[in-house]
Amino acid sequence: MKTLSLRVDVDTLEGSIKGIPNLLRMLDSHQMQASFYFSFGPDNSGKALRRIFRRGFLSKMRRTGAAKLYSLKTMLYGTLLPAPLIHPRAKAEMQAVQAAGHEVAIHAWDHVQYHDLLDKKSREWLHDWFMRAHNAFENVFSMKARAAVSPAWRCNENTLEIQEQYKLDYAGDCRGIDVFYPIVNNKTLTTLQVPTTLPTLDEILGLNGMSPSESNEYIQNLIKDDALNVYALHTEVEGGALRDTFVSFLDGLIDRQIRVKTVGDWVPELKACNPPAREITRRIIEGRAGWVSWG
C-alpha cells in the first residue's frame, strides 16, 4: 500500500499568519493529517538575497515566479525592515495546528541565518540556536518538542551532535530514500533520521516547461508501495500563491487511494524495521540552488 507523510515547513511570519490557516482548511476538507515544523525566531527573509550568487538560484526564482510567492514586506525583513520575532505574533496560528490534531515540531529559530551560514557558525552559536528554538516551542505548546527538521535539509557534525542532547523521537535533516541512524565522528547517534524522499513543488515546477498539474502528477508517480514517502511543502508556497495546485495534489492522493499519515505516527513502525547506520554526505539535486545533506 502506498503511504505518504506531508512535511509542512513554516519559514516566515507571513507563512505562519496567512499560510497556516489556509493549509489547515485544505487539510481539514480532505480529512488528512500533516506534520508541521515551525520557525520561531527572527524572520530575516530579506537576507536571503545573499543566495543570488549560488548556482541555480536566479533560474529557480524565475522558473517558480518567486516574486508572487512572497510579499514585498517579507522580502525586506532583516534588511530595510526590522526582522520580527515569529512566535509571539503567530502563537495562536501555531496552537491551532495542534488543536486540529496535526503533529507539531521544530523547524528553526533563525531560518535564514542557519540556511545560509551554517558552516560559518560556531558550535556556541548553534547551541544557542537550538536552545532558543526549543524554549520557544515549549512557550507555545507547553510541552517539549519530540521532533525537529533542519532548514533547507542542511546539517553538519556540530548540529547532529547538539541535537542528540534533546533526545528526540526523530529528526529530518536531509534528503534520501529511507530512515537511518547517522554516524558522526565514528559514533552512531540515537536520533533517527527520516529524510524527505520526494522532490518539492518549487524544485520541479517549470523544469522542462512542467506545469503545476504536470508537477503534481510527476511527484505522485514517484510515491512507492510499502516504502518511506515524505513530501515537503511550505506554508508560503502551497499555503499561499500555489494553494490551488496543492488542493489538486490532495485530490490526486484521494483518487490514487494513497494513505496519508504524520511522520510521528509512522516512526514506531520505521524504528521496528531496525534501520541501518550510515554517514550523511552532501550533494546537489536538480531544481535546487546549493547543496543539501543526503543520507
Side-chain angles (χ1 to χ4, degrees):
M1 182 176 186
K2 292 184 177 181
T3 302
L4 176 71
S5 284
L6 298 170
R7 162 180 162 160
V8 183
D9 289 1
V10 187
D11 297 352
T12 66
L13 177 61
E14 185 173 24
S16 301
I17 293 175
K18 296 181 179 180
I20 286 175
N22 287 338
L23 282 176
L24 289 182
R25 285 191 290 270
M26 288 183 262
L27 292 166
D28 180 65
S29 68
H30 289 79
Q31 297 183 308
M32 293 180 183
Q33 299 294 303
S35 301
F36 282 74
Y37 306 93
F38 303 100
S39 297
F40 294 95
D43 183 347
N44 275 305
S45 296
K47 293 179 180 177
L49 285 176
R50 287 180 297 220
R51 300 171 200 163
I52 196 170
F53 299 108
R54 287 184 187 169
R55 185 181 66 180
F57 178 76
L58 288 177
S59 62
K60 179 185 175 184
M61 294 300 100
R62 290 192 295 267
R63 176 170 49 79
T64 59
K68 299 177 183 178
L69 302 181
Y70 301 94
S71 70
L72 177 61
K73 181 182 287 187
T74 294
M75 291 189 287
L76 294 178
Y77 281 150
T79 54
L80 296 181
L81 293 176
L85 285 181
I86 296 173
H87 80 274
R89 298 176 61 175
K91 188 172 184 177
E93 288 79 7
M94 293 176 178
Q95 290 174 335
V97 175
Q98 185 184 42
H102 302 280
E103 181 181 11
V104 294
I106 291 173
H107 189 35
W109 174 249
D110 185 326
H111 187 284
V112 169
Q113 294 289 77
Y114 180 105
H115 179 168
D116 294 349
L117 303 173
L118 172 60
D119 287 340
K120 297 180 180 179
K121 295 300 185 182
S122 68
R123 195 175 180 97
E124 291 72 25
W125 187 94
L126 292 168
H127 263 294
D128 184 70
W129 188 91
F130 277 93
M131 180 185 68
R132 287 174 181 268
H134 280 266
N135 287 346
F137 183 93
E138 290 189 46
N139 175 269
V140 172
F141 297 109
S142 299
M143 66 179 190
K144 292 185 180 299
R146 299 307 315 150
V149 303
S150 67
W153 300 278
R154 292 186 167 195
C155 61
N156 60 26
E157 292 179 348
N158 285 329
T159 66
L160 293 169
E161 289 179 336
I162 293 169
Q163 186 165 248
E164 183 83 347
Q165 301 170 18
Y166 290 93
K167 302 185 184 303
L168 302 175
D169 293 334
Y170 73 92
D173 301 323
C174 61
R175 305 292 280 266
I177 58 174
D178 58 11
V179 297
F180 67 100
Y181 292 102
I183 298 174
V184 178
N185 293 322
N186 298 315
K187 178 183 177 181
T188 300
L189 304 184
T190 61
T191 304
L192 184 72
Q193 282 289 332
V194 182
T196 295
T197 64
L198 297 167
T200 63
L201 178 61
D202 65 338
E203 289 168 358
I204 63 172
L205 182 61
L207 279 179
N208 301 316
M210 201 176 300
S211 68
S213 60
E214 290 170 333
S215 300
N216 280 345
E217 184 175 4
Y218 177 83
I219 293 166
Q220 289 166 348
N221 286 338
L222 294 176
I223 299 173
K224 300 177 181 178
D225 285 300
D226 300 319
L228 178 69
N229 298 288
V230 178
Y231 177 58
L233 56 136
H234 293 81
T235 51
E236 298 79 12
V237 179
E238 286 86 350
L242 297 181
R243 53 187 177 274
D244 290 343
T245 301
F246 186 58
V247 168
S248 297
F249 181 81
L250 297 180
D251 291 340
L253 296 180
I254 293 174
D255 292 342
R256 293 169 180 245
Q257 297 183 318
I258 296 172
R259 179 178 59 171
V260 175
K261 64 193 299 185
T262 68
V263 179
D265 285 341
W266 205 344
V267 162
E269 178 184 338
L270 296 172
K271 288 185 175 180
C273 294
N274 296 316
R278 58 174 173 263
E279 293 183 348
I280 292 178
T281 59
R282 294 180 177 183
R283 67 171 61 177
I284 302 294
I285 59 177
E286 187 177 24
R288 189 158 197 88
W291 58 271
V292 297
S293 297
W294 184 274

